[in-house]
């Protein structure tokens, strides 16, 4: 996992597909876009623009992906995201790998939390379990952008 703020330079040289995704996040005015999908580089790099309301931790299921990494970016609002390494010990709640490239878990072993503020981003790789859109303090409307980057492009 990589955690940062879009106003800061990249922490190191990153694969070109991730650099392209971060450039999109830096250069886009998300107030001008409606929720939906924006292609950045076809099916290799694309963004999902989501308007959500955060929920209690136990109402959100931890998840992982196998074919794409997630760059979760908070445009406005506040949230916390549960994070953990996928130890293989988490009970699968639902596997939608074929349909949506997502596995949901019942719980997340050794979970910690990061707090997101506008401009924060977190890059989650296939070994990173994450539980997004959790209340920081109370239910809060947020706009988040999830950029999907194909693992094959790395």
């Amino acid at each position: 996992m990589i955690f940062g703020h879009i106003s800061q330079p990249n922490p190191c040289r990153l694969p070109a597909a991730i650099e392209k995704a971060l450039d999109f996040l830096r250069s886009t005015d998300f107030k001008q876009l409606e929720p939906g999908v924006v292609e950045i580089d076809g099916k290799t790099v694309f963004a999902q623009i989501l308007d959500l309301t955060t929920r209690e931790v136990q109402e959100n299921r931890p998840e992982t992906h196998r074919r794409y990494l997630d760059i979760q970016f908070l445009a406005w609002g506040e949230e916390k995201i549960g994070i953990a390494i996928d130890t293989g010990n988490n009970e699968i709640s639902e596997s939608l790998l074929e349909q949506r490239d997502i596995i949901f878990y019942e719980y997340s072993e050794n979970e910690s939390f990061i707090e997101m503020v506008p401009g924060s981003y977190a890059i989650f790789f296939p070994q990173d379990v994450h539980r997004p859109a959790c209340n920081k303090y109370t239910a809060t409307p947020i706009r988040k952008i999830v950029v999907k980057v194909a693992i094959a492009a790395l």
Side-chain angles (χ1 to χ4, degrees), residues 9-20:
N10 294 343
C12 59
R13 188 146 180 78
L14 299 168
I18 295 176
E19 295 275 2
K20 185 178 281 193

Side-chain angles (χ1 to χ4, degrees), residues 49-60:
I49 300 168
L50 307 166
D51 288 338
L52 308 167
T53 299
T54 61
R55 303 184 316 175
E56 293 293 330
V57 169
Q58 62 274 11
E59 294 178 44
N60 293 332

Side-chain angles (χ1 to χ4, degrees), residues 1 64 83-88 90 108-111 127-129:
M1 184 195 108
T64 57
I83 56 170
I85 296 300
D86 191 357
T87 61
N90 298 328
S108 182
E109 184 177 61
N110 302 317
E111 187 174 33
Q127 71 273 14
D128 299 323
V129 178

Side-chain angles (χ1 to χ4, degrees), residues 11-12 14-15 26 28 36 38 42 60 64 71 75-77 88 120 128-129 146 153:
C12 59
L14 299 168
R26 284 188 183 97
T28 303
V38 175
N60 293 332
T64 57
I71 302 176
W76 60 73
S120 296
D128 299 323
V129 178
V146 179

Side-chain angles (χ1 to χ4, degrees), residues 56-85:
E56 293 293 330
V57 169
Q58 62 274 11
E59 294 178 44
N60 293 332
R61 295 184 292 179
E63 62 187 61
T64 57
H65 312 282
R66 298 295 182 246
R67 294 187 309 270
Y68 288 87
L69 62 78
D70 270 6
I71 302 176
Q72 300 223 356
F73 173 77
L74 190 63
W76 60 73
E78 61 184 20
E79 72 172 319
K80 66 181 183 180
I81 298 178
I83 56 170
I85 296 300

